[in-house]
Amino acid sequence: MNEQNRTPDVDLDVIVVGAGFAGLYLVHSCRQAGLSVRAFETGDGVGGTWYWNRYPGARCDVQSIDYQYSWDPELEHEWEWSERYATQPEILRYLNFVADKHDLRRDVQFSTRVEGAVWDDAERLWRITTDDGVETTCRYYVMASGCLSSMKDLDIAGAERFDGETYYTGRWPHEGVDFTGKRVAVIGTGSSAIQSIPIIASQASELTVFQRTPNFSLPARNGPVDDAKRSAVESDRDAYRHSARWSSVGVPLEQATDSALAVSDEARLARYEQAWQDGTIFSLTSAYNDLLLNPASNETAAEFVRSKIRSIVQDPATAEALCPTSYPIGTKRLCLDTNYYETFNEAHVRLVDLRSTPISEITESGIDVVDGDGATSYEFDAIVFATGFDAMTGAIVAVDIAGRDGAQLRDVWADGPQTYLGLMSHGFPNLFMVTGPQSPSVMSNMAVSIEQHVDWITAAIEHLRANGLDTIEPTQLAQDGWVTHTNDFADITLFPQANSWYMGANVPGKPRVVLPYLGGVDRYRGICDQVVERDHLGFELRGADRSVVNDGVVCRVQPDVMILLEMMAEMGLPSFDTMSPVEARAFSEAMSAANPPGPEVGDVVDGTLPAADGVTELAYRLYRPATPGPHPVTVYFHGGGWVIGNATSDDALCRDLCNQSDSVIVSVDYRHAPEARFPAAADDGFAATRWVAEHAEALGGRPGELAVAGWSAGANVAAVVAQRARDEGGPSLCGQVLLSPVTDCDFDRESYRENGDGYILTKALMTWFWDHYVDVEDRSDPRVSPLRAESLVGLPPAMIVTCEFDPLRDEGNAYAEALADAGVSVRHVVARGQIHTSIVAVGALLTGAPYRAEMAEALRGFFAATVTA
Ligand code: N01
C-alpha cells in the first residue's frame, strides 16, 4: 500500500463524548455494527442532563412514555414509568437500568473530560486528548454532548462575593439541599426555575424570585400515566413509535389545519381551554396551524395564557409582572409547571421584576437592585442561579476541535453554526454531532431525535465500511444550502422575535441566529433519508484511493413553498392539462375560492369594457386605494396560460399591489383560447389598455400616469401591450411590471429541463396552453413571443421578476437581458426558491411578500418618474 494512503490502525473506531441518552445509545449501536467504541463522560455516572440537573422538581417536559428509548423492544415491557412526567431520579434510574441491561458502562470511561480533538488528514483519523493527559485515536468522533449541558457563564457583577450558599440548577449537589428556614433567592424564571420554585418555596422561610423576562408556563397536570396514552402505546407499539418518528415534534399529535383567526372567539377559547387542561408542552401551540407563524393568531393564545395567570395570581401587580408581553408565545421554550403561579400567592414568596429594578450587583449578604434613583438591598442565606445554558453549540465548542488544516470549529462557527443537517460540518471529516444545531433537536422529543441521529450516523459508518471507504464530510455547497434553508425556515416563523436561547440571544456576545431546525421532525427525517437515497447528496466519501461525491443542495425551494408542494402532492390533485379547458376553468375557480382573501382596499368596482372584436364585452375589476385620489393607474392582466382565469382570479395580488403601489389597479379580462385563439388575447389586452387610458379620469386615475402589469401569460400580454403601445401610437406607458412572463415559444431552455416537472407549472401544462392558444407557425410572432420583436428600443422601463424554480425562468431572464441591451431601464429580480405560482399567493406564502413589495415599489417609481418628467 502506498505510504501516503496508508490507513493505519486506530485505537478505536468510534469515540463518543457524553454518556447521556445519546451517548449510551451510540455505544450500543456501534457495538451492534461491530465497531469498537468508547464514550468519555465527565460525570462519574451515566445520565448526561439527568446526571447533572438534580435541582428540586426536575422532571422531563415530554411525557415519559414518549421520552424513552424505542430501540430495545424488551425495555418497553421491562420498565414502567410511575408518573406522566418522571422525576430526574426516576429518569436517571431508567438510564442506569439500560446501561446495566446492555452492559454499556464497559465502554464508558467516566470522570474523564475530552479537552481536544485534532483531525489528522494524512492518517485520516482523529486524535482525542482527555484531561488525564492521554491521547486516543479514532476514525469517527461523535459529540453526543447534549444541547443544554454547557452552563451559561454568570454575567452578574459580584456573584463571587456572596458569603452565603450558592447553587446552580445545572450542577446541583448530589446530596440535595435543604432550604428549611432559609431566606432564598432564585435568579431566573426559565424551566429550571419554574420547576424548582414551588418546591424551594415549600421549604424556605422567604423566597424571592428575580425575574428578568417572564415565561409562559402551562400546568403539567402530572399524575399517573394517562390510560389513553398507555393503551395507545400498548395496542400497537411499533405503530405508535413509527407515528412518533414521523410526527412534527417526535410525539404523535393531531395537527390542526385551521387558522386561529378563522374561528369564532368562543370556539378558539374552547380549544385553548382543552389544551390548557391537556397538560402537555405541545398542545397549545399546535392548537391552530398558524400560531407560530402569524403574530395576530399567536396573540390570541398568548392572551389566553395571560388571562389564566391573572386568574391564578391574586395580587394584580404580581400577576401583571408574571405576564409575558415582549415576545410571541412559544418562541421561548414553553414551560410545564406544578403550582408555579400559585406559589406567588404565598405570603413568604415575592417577585422582583428586574425590568423595572435591575440587579446592580451581588454583595456579601445578598442582591442589590436599582430602584428609581436609589437602591434596594435584599439579604439572603442562599442564592440559586437558574440562569440557563450556552445552548446547542456551547458544549461542542467547549472542546478544542481542530479540523482539516487546523481550522478550529469555534472559529468557523464564530458567526453561527455551519452544519449540514446538524450532523456534520465542512472541514471536519468524520466528526458527527448528535442533535446538533440546525437539526430539530430541542424542538422535538429528544429521545426520538437522538435515535434518528444515532441510527443515521451508524448507518453512514457502515456504508463507508461496506464500500471500502473511511471518511465522510459534507461539501461547502451542501452545507451553505442547509444553513440557508434553516434560516429561511426560521424567517417564516415568529421565533426570531424572541430573545431566547433558541436564537443564542441569552448569552452575551453569542451570534444571534436560530439554532434548531424548525421544519419538524418528520420533514427533517425525510430529508435525511433523501440525502442517503440520493447517494449521500452533499457528502464527499473518501477512501485510501478514491473519493465519491454527489454534490448538491437538498432543500432549495423556500420552506413555505416546500410545504405547499408537499400538501399538493399529498392531495394528488389532477393537473389542468389532463382536463378540458372548461373543466380546467371550473377547477381553477374552485381552487381560487379556497385561497385566503386579499387585503381590504379602498374601493372595488366591477365593470365591462369592449374587446378588440368590437362585439365582446370584457369584464374588469377595479381596485382603488383608500388614500385620497386621483391615483395613477395600472392595467393588470391575469395569469392562466391564455386559457383559464379571469378579471378576478388574481384578486388577492391586485389588492396587495393596489395598496402597496397606491395606484388604481384595473384587472382586465381578455378573450380566452381555445374559443378565441391568437392574437385575441394580445388584441384585447391592447384594446383594454387604450380604453383604460381614455377613461382614466372617470376611473379615478390621473391621466398620463399609466403602467401595465401581469403575471405569467398575463405578463406576456402586458409585454406585448407595451410593444404595441410603442409601435401603434400609444397610449404612453410609464412602466411595465412582468411577473414570471411568457416571452418566447422556445422550450429548449435550461429552466424547462430543470423545472419542467414538480413545481406546479409543468412543461406538459405549458405545452397544453400554447397548443390551445396559438398555431405552431404563428409562435414566433412578437405578439405572443415578445422576445422576438425586431427591436426592444424605446420600451417603457420594466420590472421583471423571475422565479428560480419556474420553467419560464430563463425566457424571463432573457427578456430582461434583451431589454437592458436595448437601453431600456430594467430592474430584474430572480426570486430565490420561488416557483411560478408562489409570489401571487398573497396571505398564503410569506416568502413571496418581498417580491410583491418590490413590484409595487417599481410601480411607484414609474409613476414618480412620470410626474418629475
Ligand atoms: O434556562 P433558561 P433553564 N440576570 O435559559 C434568566 C430545558 N429544561 O435552565 O429570559 C437575570 O430557560 C433568564 O432571563 P432572560 C428546557 O428546554 C427542561 O431554565 O434571559 N436573569 C431566564 O429567565 C429549557 O428551556 C426542563 O431574560 C438572568 C433564566 O435565567 C432549557 O432547558 C427543565 C440572567 C434562564 O432560563 C433551559 O432552561 C429545565 C441575568 N444575568 C430545563 N441570566 C424539563 O422540563 C439569565 N437569566 C425537561
Side-chain angles (χ1 to χ4, degrees):
M1 188 184 281
N2 175 329
E3 185 59 22
Q4 209 182 351
N5 288 335
R6 196 171 61 90
T7 47
D9 289 335
V10 281
D11 296 327
L12 293 156
D13 293 320
V14 183
I15 285 182
V16 178
V17 180
F21 255 98
L24 289 178
Y25 180 36
L26 256 165
V27 167
H28 173 78
S29 183
C30 288
R31 276 191 199 163
Q32 294 299 106
L35 299 162
S36 57
V37 57
R38 185 180 308 154
F40 290 115
E41 166 57 54
T42 312
D44 63 8
V46 300
T49 289
W50 301 105
Y51 173 92
W52 297 107
N53 284 272
R54 296 169 188 245
Y55 59 84
R59 292 175 188 275
C60 50
D61 58 4
V62 169
Q63 291 189 48
S64 295
I65 206 157
D66 293 307
Y67 186 70
Q68 62 173 30
Y69 290 128
S70 71
W71 52 267
D72 175 359
E74 281 174 23
L75 261 178
E76 303 226 13
H77 305 285
E78 291 163 347
W79 188 267
E80 187 83 16
W81 295 104
S82 66
E83 293 176 273
R84 287 180 92 194
Y85 296 104
T87 59
Q88 173 271 332
E90 186 171 359
I91 301 170
L92 192 57
R93 278 200 301 280
Y94 170 76
L95 290 171
N96 275 287
F97 177 81
V98 175
D100 287 340
K101 178 178 176 201
H102 292 277
D103 189 18
L104 298 177
R105 285 191 197 77
R106 173 161 57 84
D107 289 321
V108 182
Q109 184 172 322
F110 292 102
S111 305
T112 309
R113 175 187 296 279
V114 171
E115 295 191 322
V118 176
W119 172 249
D120 182 332
D121 208 38
E123 308 284 359
R124 296 201 303 286
L125 53 78
W126 281 96
R127 299 183 182 282
I128 308 298
T129 47
T130 39
D131 60 358
D132 52 8
V134 176
E135 178 184 286
T136 316
T137 59
C138 62
R139 184 78 59 219
Y140 306 102
Y141 171 48
V142 190
M143 293 300 285
S145 41
C147 295
L148 293 154
S149 48
S150 179
M151 289 202 319
K152 187 182 101 135
D153 289 340
L154 251 194
D155 52 0
I156 305 174
E160 69 294 341
R161 279 165 55 198
F162 183 61
D163 284 338
E165 303 158 23
T166 51
Y167 301 101
Y168 300 85
T169 48
R171 292 286 179 275
W172 204 258
H174 286 201
E175 60 282 11
V177 181
D178 182 4
F179 290 111
T180 305
K182 292 188 174 150
R183 298 163 304 166
V184 182
V186 173
I187 302 180
T189 48
S191 294
S192 303
I194 282 175
Q195 286 185 333
S196 56
I197 282 168
I199 296 178
I200 297 175
S202 70
Q203 300 169 356
S205 62
E206 265 178 34
L207 173 65
T208 307
V209 176
F210 290 83
Q211 170 189 272
R212 191 164 65 183
T213 313
N215 254 303
F216 289 101
S217 187
L218 312 177
R221 305 197 189 283
N222 197 19
V225 175
D226 282 356
D227 285 341
K229 188 91 166 162
R230 194 196 298 276
S231 55
V233 179
E234 285 176 357
S235 64
D236 188 343
R237 282 175 194 275
D238 289 347
Y240 186 88
R241 299 292 175 213
H242 178 85
S243 68
R245 288 181 200 119
W246 289 97
S247 66
S248 60
V249 292
V251 174
L253 197 66
E254 287 257 318
Q255 288 290 325
T257 52
D258 48 350
S259 159
L261 303 181
V263 298
S264 68
D265 291 352
E266 297 73 40
R268 194 186 310 116
L269 284 178
R271 205 181 288 179
Y272 289 156
E273 185 60 39
Q274 201 182 350
W276 178 263
Q277 295 303 330
D278 189 40
T280 72
I281 203 166
F282 303 117
S283 44
L284 185 69
T285 44
S286 52
Y288 291 99
N289 68 0
D290 58 351
L291 290 178
L292 295 170
L293 305 174
N294 180 331
S297 299
N298 183 283
E299 179 56 22
T300 62
E303 189 48 33
F304 171 82
V305 176
R306 288 193 286 261
S307 73
K308 288 290 184 189
I309 297 171
R310 291 182 191 115
S311 73
I312 299 169
V313 179
Q314 287 153 6
D315 172 47
T318 306
E320 227 37 60
L322 285 166
C323 284
T325 52
S326 58
Y327 58 92
I329 187 168
T331 57
K332 274 182 159 225
R333 170 88 168 199
L334 279 175
C335 303
L336 276 191
D337 73 271
T338 303
N339 295 330
Y340 173 63
Y341 294 118
E342 289 81 350
T343 302
F344 291 93
N345 292 333
E346 295 181 29
H348 69 300
V349 177
R350 78 183 144 205
L351 182 71
V352 175
D353 185 351
L354 300 180
R355 291 168 298 181
S356 50
T357 58
I359 294 177
S360 54
E361 61 175 342
I362 295 179
T363 64
E364 286 75 6
S365 58
I367 298 175
D368 286 359
V369 298
V370 180
D371 201 349
D373 290 337
T376 301
S377 297
Y378 298 95
E379 304 224 319
F380 299 109
D381 303 309
I383 300 178
V384 174
F385 294 98
T387 43
F389 299 91
D390 182 354
M392 302 206 67
T393 53
I396 297 174
V397 298
V399 176
D400 286 323
I401 301 179
R404 220 161 356 87
D405 305 322
Q408 283 284 329
L409 188 70
R410 73 169 69 89
D411 295 339
V412 176
W413 286 14
D415 295 328
Q418 306 288 312
T419 80
Y420 184 34
L421 303 171
L423 274 163
M424 300 194 78
S425 192
H426 175 70
F428 299 85
N430 290 359
L431 164 65
F432 297 97
M433 294 163 282
V434 180
T435 61
Q438 297 162 347
S439 77
S441 59
V442 293
M443 297 306 298
S444 68
N445 173 3
M446 288 296 281
V448 166
S449 287
I450 284 170
E451 288 192 358
Q452 187 236 340
H453 268 190
V454 171
D455 292 345
W456 196 98
I457 292 166
T458 315
I461 298 174
E462 286 182 304
H463 174 82
L464 291 172
R465 288 163 73 100
N467 290 280
L469 304 165
D470 58 21
T471 306
I472 178 168
E473 181 188 348
T475 67
Q476 187 72 56
L477 177 76
Q479 176 168 293
D480 291 348
W482 185 252
V483 173
T484 301
H485 175 64
T486 300
N487 292 334
D488 285 345
F489 237 118
D491 287 344
I492 62 166
T493 73
L494 303 176
F495 281 87
Q497 294 186 20
N499 288 325
S500 64
W501 59 258
Y502 291 145
M503 297 296 302
N506 65 325
V507 175
K510 190 166 172 172
R512 190 189 170 96
V513 291
V514 68
L515 294 171
Y517 176 65
L518 301 177
V521 165
D522 43 0
R523 181 171 295 107
Y524 175 80
R525 182 183 289 271
I527 292 168
C528 291
D529 290 356
Q530 195 197 124
V531 163
V532 173
E533 281 155 20
R534 293 172 68 184
D535 300 327
H536 286 86
L537 176 70
F539 284 104
E540 183 177 2
L541 314 183
R542 286 194 298 273
D545 47 16
R546 71 194 177 102
S547 154
V548 187
V549 58
N550 176 25
D551 205 357
V553 171
V554 64
C555 294
R556 295 173 60 203
V557 293
Q558 287 287 347
D560 48 359
V561 177
M562 187 176 178
I563 293 168
L564 173 83
L565 291 173
E566 287 166 3
M567 273 168 41
M568 305 236 351
E570 214 164 284
M571 287 192 281
L573 298 175
S575 177
F576 291 132
D577 52 283
T578 61
M579 307 175 195
S580 71
V582 172
E583 288 166 345
R585 287 172 199 149
F587 185 54
S588 162
E589 276 191 36
M591 298 232 308
S592 300
N595 290 338
E600 289 291 318
V601 295
D603 201 10
V604 174
V605 181
D606 290 332
T608 59
L609 51 81
D613 64 359
V615 180
T616 313
E617 280 293 299
L618 299 173
Y620 72 79
R621 175 167 281 186
L622 179 146
Y623 304 84
R624 189 172 293 121
T627 52
H631 298 93
V633 179
T634 304
V635 183
Y636 176 84
F637 302 99
H638 65 82
W642 310 286
V643 177
I644 51 186
N646 54 45
T648 61
S649 54
D650 297 351
D651 183 74
L653 175 67
C654 290
R655 288 169 179 272
D656 190 72
L657 271 183
C658 168
N659 284 341
Q660 293 206 60
S661 68
D662 201 30
S663 74
V664 164
I665 304 284
V666 189
S667 172
V668 298
D669 208 353
Y670 43 90
R671 281 169 296 154
H672 289 147
E675 295 85 347
R677 287 169 65 84
F678 174 79
D683 287 349
D684 285 354
F686 187 41
T689 306
R690 286 191 145 169
W691 185 90
V692 171
E694 282 159 20
H695 296 81
E697 228 163 328
L699 297 171
R702 286 202 292 265
E705 291 182 48
L706 183 68
V708 288
W711 166 52
S712 190
N716 170 266
V717 173
V720 169
V721 166
Q723 293 189 4
R724 293 183 66 175
R726 176 197 61 178
D727 300 339
E728 298 177 37
S732 165
L733 298 175
C734 63
Q736 47 180 329
V737 170
L738 311 178
L739 171 58
S740 305
V742 181
T743 71
D744 192 31
C745 55
D746 183 5
F747 284 19
D748 187 21
R749 295 179 189 276
E750 202 53 41
S751 55
Y752 262 104
R753 284 186 284 280
E754 284 174 7
N755 311 316
D757 195 18
Y759 299 106
I760 299 180
L761 178 65
T762 60
K763 183 175 179 181
L765 182 53
M766 275 314 293
T767 307
W768 187 83
F769 285 143
W770 276 94
D771 289 349
H772 279 305
Y773 182 45
V774 54
D775 295 337
V776 173
E777 56 274 21
D778 289 336
R779 290 186 184 181
S780 299
D781 190 311
R783 287 172 299 166
V784 69
S785 290
L787 183 62
R788 300 192 181 221
E790 208 161 282
S791 166
L792 300 180
V793 173
L795 287 171
M799 156 79 184
I800 299 185
V801 181
T802 53
C803 295
E804 189 181 358
F805 294 95
D806 183 352
L808 306 187
R809 179 194 66 204
D810 291 352
E811 64 196 76
N813 292 353
Y815 198 57
E817 253 176 62
L819 285 172
D821 288 348
V824 176
S825 159
V826 183
R827 165 125 180 79
H828 176 209
V829 177
V830 182
R832 180 175 65 79
Q834 298 292 336
I835 62 172
H836 186 75
T837 53
S838 50
I839 292 177
V840 292
V842 178
L845 299 181
L846 282 176
T847 56
Y851 304 104
R852 293 192 295 272
E854 282 202 61
M855 286 157 55
E857 183 59 38
L859 285 173
R860 281 174 178 267
F862 297 153
F863 300 131
T866 311
V867 173
T868 321

